[in-house]
Amino acid sequence: MSSSAFPPGRGPNLFILGAPKCGTTSMAAYLQQHPEVAVSEPKETRYYGPYADVASMTPEAYCESMAHKPGARYRCDATPDYLAECGTVARIVEETEQPLYIVMIREQGELAFSLHQEQRLKGIETIADFEEAWRACDARRAGKRVPVTCGDARRLSYDQRASVGRQLSEALQIIPRERIMIIEMGTLRADIAAVWEALCGFLEIEHRTDVDFTAQNLRKTIRFPILLQASAMAFRLKRRLGIRGGLGVAGALKSVAAPVARERESLSPELRAELQTFFAEDSRLLEQAMLSGPHLRVVDGKVTGQEAALV
């Protein structure tokens, strides 16, 4: 059993562990409304990384980010990128005392596509076409075609970042399955009330019905990609110079290029079929992980799943 690296009652004991672009922002917003759950501010602390281009946070600042609800049963870190790296999960297990975990998932091809769109919105990705970016994954792992706006090439490995079946299989080697609730993204649209009731049961907290279930982090597209890339460069330069305050440059550029909510392009049938073949084994691993413990999924338009008693 691990011993906590944080003072009693201060460190995290609940993680939205993954995966990005699967409804994690909405889930954090719902949990934040419960008096027994203090979701970190900011939502994604990135305290445990895993990427090299994020600012470090002291243990004290990390604890303070979850201290805004004194006496709350859960202190939640909602950084979904943690699941992507087995070493990151191992560090969490080592430094915390048996927390609970929520893992949001979706079909891997759609996840990879959405991750690419997110990197474009952040100015990190300069290849506008997803299919081209997908085929560049190997080259980027070899250090090629990595934009200067990207401080860690692992962010652009869409094939690996979307392999949630493999990621969960690795996490389950060190985390007891009954401590993980796996939630399919589609359940939030199918029956959010049923999802919320099941999640409250998993966390053993009061089933509150006064929660605003407005969806968060809706699909967006970019007006001026080059300005977002300039904003990302300004942010990286500021971090490299050790400047923590705002200079206003990055903010101004980002404001002009602000993403707008509207429908984006979708995967072509041919590429979708290719991705399904590529992720076939990962889908099998995901199915295996899901059915082995607490989970919520959509079957014939209805939310279904199973819950396991915590031990």
Side-chain angles (χ1 to χ4, degrees):
M1 180 182 297
S2 62
S3 59
S4 178
F6 309 101
R10 296 274 289 164
N13 57 1
L14 174 64
F15 288 88
I16 299 181
L17 194 63
K21 309 309 295 177
C22 294
T24 59
T25 299
S26 291
M27 183 57 66
Y30 306 154
L31 288 169
Q32 185 69 286
Q33 297 175 60
H34 199 290
E36 285 300 299
V37 183
V39 177
S40 57
E41 297 177 349
K43 169 211 165 214
E44 298 185 19
T45 69
R46 300 183 176 89
Y47 178 77
Y48 287 101
Y51 302 116
D53 57 350
V54 296
S56 60
M57 177 182 282
T58 66
E60 179 59 29
Y62 184 47
C63 290
E64 280 298 313
S65 73
M66 297 169 280
H68 52 89
K69 289 184 185 178
R73 178 172 181 175
Y74 289 104
R75 298 168 298 281
C76 176
D77 181 345
T79 307
D81 281 320
Y82 291 160
L83 186 65
E85 296 285 337
C86 188
T88 299
V89 176
R91 185 182 164 201
I92 290 172
V93 171
E94 178 65 26
E95 296 187 3
T96 58
E97 292 189 18
Q98 297 186 319
L100 295 181
Y101 304 88
I102 299 169
V103 175
M104 305 293 297
I105 63 168
R106 69 192 292 188
E107 193 272 328
Q108 293 97 325
E110 285 289 342
L111 173 53
F113 175 74
S114 190
L115 285 169
H116 169 258
Q117 295 293 304
E118 180 186 47
Q119 300 314 297
R120 289 194 65 218
L121 287 168
K122 290 180 176 179
I124 293 172
E125 174 62 89
T126 55
I127 299 178
D129 180 66
F130 169 67
E131 183 170 357
E132 182 182 352
W134 170 259
R135 304 199 188 289
C137 286
D138 285 339
R140 285 168 154 178
R141 277 191 285 275
K144 303 174 182 178
R145 303 191 68 184
V146 178
V148 294
T149 53
C150 180
D152 193 321
R154 289 177 296 174
R155 292 186 181 277
L156 307 178
S157 292
Y158 305 115
D159 51 354
Q160 294 184 353
R161 292 187 67 190
S163 296
V164 288
R166 172 189 56 79
Q167 294 167 17
L168 268 169
S169 295
E170 291 176 349
L172 287 173
Q173 294 179 26
I174 53 178
I175 299 175
R177 176 62 182 90
E178 66 270 13
R179 306 199 71 81
I180 302 176
M181 169 65 88
I182 303 174
I183 303 177
E184 189 180 75
M185 182 180 178
T187 61
L188 301 185
R189 297 192 187 99
D191 192 343
I192 182 58
V195 173
W196 179 247
E197 182 176 7
L199 184 59
C200 288
F202 173 72
L203 297 176
E204 297 184 330
I205 55 178
E206 179 187 358
H207 176 216
R208 300 288 293 256
T209 58
D210 56 345
V211 177
D212 179 4
F213 291 125
T214 302
Q216 307 291 312
N217 203 16
L218 299 176
R219 297 181 111 194
K220 298 180 178 70
T221 190
I222 309 168
R223 289 189 294 188
F224 305 111
I226 191 67
L227 292 185
L228 281 178
Q229 293 161 21
S231 172
M233 279 296 296
F235 180 81
R236 286 199 65 203
L237 178 61
K238 184 177 71 171
R239 286 288 184 240
R240 185 170 295 179
L241 294 174
I243 301 172
R244 298 299 176 186
L247 296 177
V249 177
L253 291 170
K254 200 166 187 177
S255 177
V256 174
V260 292
R262 66 176 184 233
E263 284 300 305
R264 301 180 307 210
E265 66 272 22
S266 298
L267 291 168
S268 68
E270 296 78 14
L271 183 56
R272 185 183 300 277
E274 178 183 328
L275 294 175
Q276 287 175 344
T277 299
F278 178 87
F279 286 115
E281 174 59 16
D282 196 77
S283 295
R284 186 192 68 78
L285 291 174
L286 180 57
E287 181 79 1
Q288 185 178 54
M290 182 182 298
L291 295 179
S292 64
H295 70 276
L296 297 169
R297 68 192 312 187
V298 178
V299 177
D300 295 329
K302 295 183 180 180
V303 174
T304 185
Q306 73 179 69
E307 295 180 42
L310 295 177
V311 293

